[in-house]
Amino acid sequence: MIRLPSYSKNGLWRSLQWSASGAVGVALLTALMRYLKLNLVTASFCFLLELVLLSLAGSFAAAVVVSLLAFASLSYYFTSPVMSFRIADPTDLTGVVAFLVTGLIITHLVTKVRTKTESTILQKERLQTLYDLAQHLLALEPVVGGQHDFLEPFLGVFGIRAVCLYDAMSSEVHTAGNAASLLEEKTGQCFIQSRDLEDPAHAISGRCFRVGGRTIGAIGFEGLEVPGLTAGPLAALAAAQLERTHSFLKASHSAAAAQTE
């Protein structure tokens, strides 16, 4: 069984955690820089360093929150008059605003690059999973009367809990896994209507098998993650394996007929 590593989907909780960590970092940095009696320029660079480090691991929302907290700290403790949010010197006001704008731009760019890198890694893992599944299917030997044997390797791939196949050639339905009652119905509906089907409420995705302009069957997945990206390639693998099974059956029948003659 092929499985992908699980990823956390609770982005809000993750952002709150990083925001809290960043707020603690701002408080500690403020206390340290006040103790060392640093000026506005040095304090701004220290806060920028914290923002960059936060962007490398946290979310952009958390970086925005920390940027605003750092902006408030600079305005309150490192501009004249001290211990007030009123900034009397226009030069200090320009420096504080420049820090906020620079911090937001830097964190946005760093977060964007990190997100793109994570997306590339995830895409690579998906391709590797599809490749492993294809290798597994190719290693299977077709068996007369066992057209549904190749469904088992699909279980666990991209979170699939159950899979249902309708074979138009034999008019048979085959399932694997703990399928819900609607999976078979939705798969048949996908074949009858000759179009792909999505049912997010029941986590069911259906795809038709089309070869040479004709529909030879349909397959339904239950629990599939990101069906818009993964259902098509999985259905293509299943269709190829079904055609391979059909070719084996035709060859077996022809050989038996020739032997009988």
Side-chain angles (χ1 to χ4, degrees):
M1 184 179 296
I2 306 167
R3 295 184 182 275
L4 279 177
S6 59
Y7 295 89
S8 173
K9 297 181 180 179
N10 197 345
L12 178 60
W13 175 246
R14 182 170 176 266
S15 295
L16 289 175
Q17 286 180 316
W18 282 110
S19 298
S21 300
V24 172
V26 169
L28 293 176
L29 270 178
T30 300
L32 178 61
M33 292 185 296
R34 288 276 293 168
Y35 175 77
L36 297 176
K37 298 181 180 181
L38 300 180
N39 58 22
L40 176 62
V41 176
T42 307
S44 298
F45 278 111
C46 291
F47 281 133
L48 277 177
L49 179 61
E50 181 190 1
L51 287 175
V52 171
L53 294 176
L54 180 65
S55 302
L56 292 174
S59 63
F60 178 68
V64 170
V65 172
V66 175
S67 297
L68 295 175
L69 292 175
F71 173 79
S73 177
L74 290 174
S75 302
Y76 194 77
Y77 291 108
F78 299 95
T79 60
S80 181
V82 181
M83 310 294 284
S84 172
F85 288 108
R86 185 174 62 87
I87 303 176
D89 190 347
T91 302
D92 290 344
L93 177 61
T94 302
V96 172
V97 173
F99 160 79
L100 180 60
V101 174
T102 304
L104 292 177
I105 292 175
I106 291 176
T107 53
H108 173 69
L109 293 176
V110 173
T111 305
K112 185 177 181 180
V113 172
R114 182 174 57 84
T115 302
K116 186 175 182 180
T117 301
E118 292 176 351
S119 177
T120 302
I121 293 174
L122 182 59
Q123 186 68 16
K124 183 178 179 181
E125 291 176 349
R126 287 174 179 162
L127 290 175
Q128 183 62 42
T129 301
L130 290 173
Y131 175 78
D132 293 341
L133 177 60
Q135 291 291 98
H136 193 168
L137 293 176
L138 287 174
L140 295 177
E141 291 293 336
V143 179
V144 177
Q147 296 93 329
H148 62 290
D149 290 348
F150 66 85
L151 295 181
E152 295 291 338
F154 285 88
L155 298 178
V157 176
F158 303 125
I160 295 176
R161 297 189 299 269
V163 58
C164 177
L165 171 72
Y166 175 74
D167 185 356
M169 180 178 178
S170 60
S171 300
E172 294 179 347
V173 177
H174 306 286
T175 59
N178 298 322
S181 58
L182 285 175
L183 181 59
E184 184 174 330
E185 176 185 342
K186 294 292 183 179
T187 305
Q189 180 181 343
C190 179
F191 174 77
I192 293 173
Q193 297 178 356
S194 190
R195 63 181 180 86
D196 297 339
L197 177 145
E198 292 293 344
D199 186 358
H202 299 94
I204 295 177
S205 301
R207 294 292 185 271
C208 290
F209 296 152
R210 298 182 180 89
V211 176
R214 59 189 181 89
T215 304
I216 64 170
I219 191 168
F221 303 105
E222 182 180 340
L224 179 62
E225 300 170 355
V226 199
L229 296 176
T230 56
L234 289 174
L237 290 176
Q241 191 68 13
L242 183 62
E243 272 293 279
R244 183 185 177 204
T245 302
H246 287 170
S247 299
F248 176 78
L249 290 175
K250 292 177 181 177
S252 299
H253 294 162
S254 299
Q259 185 177 4
T260 302
E261 184 178 353

